[in-house]
PDB file of all heavy atoms in Angstrom:
ATOM      1  N   SER A  30     -12.459  -6.468   1.044  1.00 54.00           N
ATOM      2  CA  SER A  30     -11.399  -7.423   1.354  1.00 54.00           C
ATOM      3  C   SER A  30     -10.079  -6.747   1.660  1.00 54.00           C
ATOM      4  O   SER A  30      -9.631  -5.864   0.945  1.00 54.00           O
ATOM      5  CB  SER A  30     -11.215  -8.370   0.178  1.00 54.00           C
ATOM      6  OG  SER A  30     -10.157  -9.249   0.437  1.00 54.00           O
ATOM      7  N   LEU A  31      -9.469  -7.189   2.732  1.00 65.00           N
ATOM      8  CA  LEU A  31      -8.097  -6.773   3.020  1.00 65.00           C
ATOM      9  C   LEU A  31      -7.122  -7.738   2.373  1.00 65.00           C
ATOM     10  O   LEU A  31      -5.922  -7.621   2.504  1.00 65.00           O
ATOM     11  CB  LEU A  31      -7.859  -6.777   4.535  1.00 65.00           C
ATOM     12  CG  LEU A  31      -8.406  -5.595   5.314  1.00 65.00           C
ATOM     13  CD1 LEU A  31      -8.379  -5.894   6.786  1.00 65.00           C
ATOM     14  CD2 LEU A  31      -7.609  -4.350   5.018  1.00 65.00           C
ATOM     15  N   GLN A  32      -7.663  -8.721   1.688  1.00 58.00           N
ATOM     16  CA  GLN A  32      -6.820  -9.803   1.171  1.00 58.00           C
ATOM     17  C   GLN A  32      -5.958  -9.343   0.008  1.00 58.00           C
ATOM     18  O   GLN A  32      -6.449  -8.702  -0.915  1.00 58.00           O
ATOM     19  CB  GLN A  32      -7.752 -10.909   0.698  1.00 58.00           C
ATOM     20  CG  GLN A  32      -7.061 -12.205   0.464  1.00 58.00           C
ATOM     21  CD  GLN A  32      -8.082 -13.329   0.507  1.00 58.00           C
ATOM     22  OE1 GLN A  32      -9.102 -13.229   1.171  1.00 58.00           O
ATOM     23  NE2 GLN A  32      -7.805 -14.397  -0.208  1.00 58.00           N
ATOM     24  N   PRO A  33      -4.671  -9.675   0.049  1.00 58.00           N
ATOM     25  CA  PRO A  33      -3.853  -9.329  -1.111  1.00 58.00           C
ATOM     26  C   PRO A  33      -4.293 -10.125  -2.325  1.00 58.00           C
ATOM     27  O   PRO A  33      -4.846 -11.208  -2.196  1.00 58.00           O
ATOM     28  CB  PRO A  33      -2.435  -9.719  -0.697  1.00 58.00           C
ATOM     29  CG  PRO A  33      -2.555 -10.527   0.523  1.00 58.00           C
ATOM     30  CD  PRO A  33      -3.925 -10.352   1.092  1.00 58.00           C
ATOM     31  N   HIS A  88      -1.874  -6.904   6.911  1.00 98.00           N
ATOM     32  CA  HIS A  88      -2.755  -7.928   6.324  1.00 98.00           C
ATOM     33  C   HIS A  88      -2.086  -8.669   5.168  1.00 98.00           C
ATOM     34  O   HIS A  88      -2.666  -9.626   4.644  1.00 98.00           O
ATOM     35  CB  HIS A  88      -4.105  -7.329   5.928  1.00 98.00           C
ATOM     36  CG  HIS A  88      -4.137  -6.584   4.628  1.00 98.00           C
ATOM     37  ND1 HIS A  88      -3.998  -5.218   4.537  1.00 98.00           N
ATOM     38  CD2 HIS A  88      -4.311  -7.022   3.363  1.00 98.00           C
ATOM     39  CE1 HIS A  88      -4.082  -4.865   3.260  1.00 98.00           C
ATOM     40  NE2 HIS A  88      -4.284  -5.933   2.524  1.00 98.00           N
ATOM     41  N   ASP A 217      -7.721   5.377  -7.736  1.00 98.00           N
ATOM     42  CA  ASP A 217      -7.612   4.715  -6.433  1.00 98.00           C
ATOM     43  C   ASP A 217      -6.539   3.624  -6.518  1.00 98.00           C
ATOM     44  O   ASP A 217      -6.140   3.219  -7.618  1.00 98.00           O
ATOM     45  CB  ASP A 217      -8.961   4.051  -6.090  1.00 98.00           C
ATOM     46  CG  ASP A 217      -9.146   3.700  -4.620  1.00 98.00           C
ATOM     47  OD1 ASP A 217      -8.258   4.006  -3.797  1.00 98.00           O
ATOM     48  OD2 ASP A 217     -10.202   3.118  -4.300  1.00 98.00           O
ATOM     49  N   THR A 218      -6.116   3.163  -5.360  1.00 98.00           N
ATOM     50  CA  THR A 218      -5.413   1.888  -5.297  1.00 98.00           C
ATOM     51  C   THR A 218      -6.461   0.782  -5.363  1.00 98.00           C
ATOM     52  O   THR A 218      -7.658   1.029  -5.275  1.00 98.00           O
ATOM     53  CB  THR A 218      -4.601   1.790  -3.996  1.00 98.00           C
ATOM     54  OG1 THR A 218      -5.433   2.205  -2.903  1.00 98.00           O
ATOM     55  CG2 THR A 218      -3.378   2.679  -4.058  1.00 98.00           C
ATOM     56  N   CYS A 219      -6.001  -0.458  -5.530  1.00 97.00           N
ATOM     57  CA  CYS A 219      -6.945  -1.575  -5.679  1.00 97.00           C
ATOM     58  C   CYS A 219      -6.237  -2.857  -5.220  1.00 97.00           C
ATOM     59  O   CYS A 219      -5.087  -2.812  -4.774  1.00 97.00           O
ATOM     60  CB  CYS A 219      -7.402  -1.648  -7.134  1.00 97.00           C
ATOM     61  SG  CYS A 219      -8.942  -2.579  -7.409  1.00 97.00           S
ATOM     62  N   GLN A 220      -6.902  -3.990  -5.348  1.00 97.00           N
ATOM     63  CA  GLN A 220      -6.335  -5.258  -4.872  1.00 97.00           C
ATOM     64  C   GLN A 220      -4.948  -5.498  -5.469  1.00 97.00           C
ATOM     65  O   GLN A 220      -4.753  -5.379  -6.677  1.00 97.00           O
ATOM     66  CB  GLN A 220      -7.280  -6.413  -5.219  1.00 97.00           C
ATOM     67  CG  GLN A 220      -8.268  -6.741  -4.096  1.00 97.00           C
ATOM     68  CD  GLN A 220      -9.113  -5.574  -3.652  1.00 97.00           C
ATOM     69  OE1 GLN A 220      -9.588  -4.813  -4.476  1.00 97.00           O
ATOM     70  NE2 GLN A 220      -9.287  -5.389  -2.360  1.00 97.00           N
ATOM     71  N   GLY A 221      -4.009  -5.827  -4.617  1.00 97.00           N
ATOM     72  CA  GLY A 221      -2.634  -6.032  -5.056  1.00 97.00           C
ATOM     73  C   GLY A 221      -1.741  -4.819  -4.823  1.00 97.00           C
ATOM     74  O   GLY A 221      -0.522  -4.919  -4.915  1.00 97.00           O
ATOM     75  N   ASP A 222      -2.353  -3.683  -4.556  1.00 98.00           N
ATOM     76  CA  ASP A 222      -1.580  -2.489  -4.202  1.00 98.00           C
ATOM     77  C   ASP A 222      -1.317  -2.428  -2.702  1.00 98.00           C
ATOM     78  O   ASP A 222      -0.487  -1.631  -2.240  1.00 98.00           O
ATOM     79  CB  ASP A 222      -2.323  -1.211  -4.625  1.00 98.00           C
ATOM     80  CG  ASP A 222      -2.392  -1.060  -6.130  1.00 98.00           C
ATOM     81  OD1 ASP A 222      -1.403  -1.382  -6.807  1.00 98.00           O
ATOM     82  OD2 ASP A 222      -3.456  -0.633  -6.629  1.00 98.00           O
ATOM     83  N   SER A 223      -2.032  -3.241  -1.950  1.00 98.00           N
ATOM     84  CA  SER A 223      -1.908  -3.237  -0.494  1.00 98.00           C
ATOM     85  C   SER A 223      -0.462  -3.298  -0.044  1.00 98.00           C
ATOM     86  O   SER A 223       0.351  -4.007  -0.632  1.00 98.00           O
ATOM     87  CB  SER A 223      -2.620  -4.438   0.109  1.00 98.00           C
ATOM     88  OG  SER A 223      -3.958  -4.140   0.290  1.00 98.00           O
ATOM     89  N   VAL A 242      -1.209   1.385   1.766  1.00 98.00           N
ATOM     90  CA  VAL A 242      -2.467   0.934   1.154  1.00 98.00           C
ATOM     91  C   VAL A 242      -3.094  -0.153   2.026  1.00 98.00           C
ATOM     92  O   VAL A 242      -2.442  -1.170   2.319  1.00 98.00           O
ATOM     93  CB  VAL A 242      -2.240   0.386  -0.268  1.00 98.00           C
ATOM     94  CG1 VAL A 242      -3.568  -0.085  -0.870  1.00 98.00           C
ATOM     95  CG2 VAL A 242      -1.564   1.419  -1.155  1.00 98.00           C
ATOM     96  N   SER A 243      -4.335   0.065   2.449  1.00 98.00           N
ATOM     97  CA  SER A 243      -4.964  -0.882   3.370  1.00 98.00           C
ATOM     98  C   SER A 243      -6.274  -1.460   2.825  1.00 98.00           C
ATOM     99  O   SER A 243      -6.366  -2.647   2.577  1.00 98.00           O
ATOM    100  CB  SER A 243      -5.182  -0.211   4.726  1.00 98.00           C
ATOM    101  OG  SER A 243      -5.702  -1.120   5.674  1.00 98.00           O
ATOM    102  N   TRP A 244      -7.299  -0.620   2.622  1.00 98.00           N
ATOM    103  CA  TRP A 244      -8.580  -1.176   2.173  1.00 98.00           C
ATOM    104  C   TRP A 244      -9.483  -0.099   1.593  1.00 98.00           C
ATOM    105  O   TRP A 244      -9.157   1.089   1.622  1.00 98.00           O
ATOM    106  CB  TRP A 244      -9.293  -1.930   3.307  1.00 98.00           C
ATOM    107  CG  TRP A 244      -9.665  -1.093   4.511  1.00 98.00           C
ATOM    108  CD1 TRP A 244      -8.848  -0.744   5.547  1.00 98.00           C
ATOM    109  CD2 TRP A 244     -10.946  -0.507   4.795  1.00 98.00           C
ATOM    110  NE1 TRP A 244      -9.542   0.022   6.459  1.00 98.00           N
ATOM    111  CE2 TRP A 244     -10.834   0.164   6.030  1.00 98.00           C
ATOM    112  CE3 TRP A 244     -12.183  -0.507   4.136  1.00 98.00           C
ATOM    113  CZ2 TRP A 244     -11.902   0.859   6.617  1.00 98.00           C
ATOM    114  CZ3 TRP A 244     -13.253   0.177   4.724  1.00 98.00           C
ATOM    115  CH2 TRP A 244     -13.106   0.849   5.957  1.00 98.00           C
ATOM    116  N   GLY A 245     -10.605  -0.537   1.082  1.00 97.00           N
ATOM    117  CA  GLY A 245     -11.624   0.361   0.554  1.00 97.00           C
ATOM    118  C   GLY A 245     -12.804  -0.474   0.116  1.00 97.00           C
ATOM    119  O   GLY A 245     -12.676  -1.696  -0.017  1.00 97.00           O
ATOM    120  N   GLY A 247     -14.708  -1.689  -2.721  1.00 97.00           N
ATOM    121  CA  GLY A 247     -14.424  -1.722  -4.154  1.00 97.00           C
ATOM    122  C   GLY A 247     -13.176  -0.902  -4.429  1.00 97.00           C
ATOM    123  O   GLY A 247     -12.311  -0.749  -3.562  1.00 97.00           O
ATOM    124  N   CYS A 248     -13.073  -0.388  -5.628  1.00 97.00           N
ATOM    125  CA  CYS A 248     -11.943   0.467  -5.992  1.00 97.00           C
ATOM    126  C   CYS A 248     -12.452   1.631  -6.822  1.00 97.00           C
ATOM    127  O   CYS A 248     -13.223   1.419  -7.771  1.00 97.00           O
ATOM    128  CB  CYS A 248     -10.913  -0.301  -6.825  1.00 97.00           C
ATOM    129  SG  CYS A 248     -10.242  -1.785  -6.034  1.00 97.00           S
ATOM    130  N   GLY A 255     -10.127   5.511  -0.768  1.00 98.00           N
ATOM    131  CA  GLY A 255      -9.200   4.497  -0.309  1.00 98.00           C
ATOM    132  C   GLY A 255      -8.817   4.778   1.136  1.00 98.00           C
ATOM    133  O   GLY A 255      -8.748   5.941   1.558  1.00 98.00           O
ATOM    134  N   VAL A 256      -8.599   3.716   1.900  1.00 98.00           N
ATOM    135  CA  VAL A 256      -8.209   3.859   3.304  1.00 98.00           C
ATOM    136  C   VAL A 256      -6.770   3.355   3.453  1.00 98.00           C
ATOM    137  O   VAL A 256      -6.439   2.265   2.988  1.00 98.00           O
ATOM    138  CB  VAL A 256      -9.157   3.089   4.242  1.00 98.00           C
ATOM    139  CG1 VAL A 256      -8.773   3.321   5.702  1.00 98.00           C
ATOM    140  CG2 VAL A 256     -10.613   3.497   3.991  1.00 98.00           C
ATOM    141  N   TYR A 257      -5.953   4.161   4.105  1.00 98.00           N
ATOM    142  CA  TYR A 257      -4.518   3.919   4.235  1.00 98.00           C
ATOM    143  C   TYR A 257      -4.141   3.951   5.710  1.00 98.00           C
ATOM    144  O   TYR A 257      -4.705   4.726   6.481  1.00 98.00           O
ATOM    145  CB  TYR A 257      -3.746   5.019   3.475  1.00 98.00           C
ATOM    146  CG  TYR A 257      -4.072   5.041   1.994  1.00 98.00           C
ATOM    147  CD1 TYR A 257      -5.252   5.621   1.522  1.00 98.00           C
ATOM    148  CD2 TYR A 257      -3.229   4.433   1.077  1.00 98.00           C
ATOM    149  CE1 TYR A 257      -5.584   5.608   0.169  1.00 98.00           C
ATOM    150  CE2 TYR A 257      -3.540   4.417  -0.281  1.00 98.00           C
ATOM    151  CZ  TYR A 257      -4.723   5.008  -0.723  1.00 98.00           C
ATOM    152  OH  TYR A 257      -5.045   4.974  -2.060  1.00 98.00           O
TER     153      TYR A 257
HETATM  154  N1  LIG B 306      -6.811  -4.718   0.453  1.00 57.78           N
HETATM  155  C1  LIG B 306      -6.312  -4.500  -0.872  1.00 57.78           C
HETATM  156  C2  LIG B 306      -5.069  -5.347  -1.122  1.00 57.78           C
HETATM  157  O1  LIG B 306      -4.838  -6.249  -0.372  1.00 57.78           O
HETATM  158  C3  LIG B 306      -6.110  -3.050  -1.157  1.00 57.78           C
HETATM  159  C4  LIG B 306      -7.393  -2.425  -1.390  1.00 57.78           C
HETATM  160  C5  LIG B 306      -7.297  -0.963  -1.578  1.00 57.78           C
HETATM  161  N2  LIG B 306      -8.605  -0.546  -1.964  1.00 57.78           N
HETATM  162  C6  LIG B 306      -8.927   0.704  -2.272  1.00 57.78           C
HETATM  163  N3  LIG B 306     -10.126   0.906  -2.706  1.00 57.78           N
HETATM  164  N4  LIG B 306      -8.086   1.674  -2.129  1.00 57.78           N
HETATM  165  O2  LIG B 306      -4.408  -5.223  -2.112  1.00 57.78           O
END
Side-chain angles (χ1 to χ4, degrees):
S30 177
L31 282 167
Q32 195 159 332
H88 80 264
D217 198 3
T218 47
C219 199
Q220 267 56 42
D222 292 321
S223 275
V242 180
S243 184
W244 62 278
C248 303
V256 183
Y257 299 78

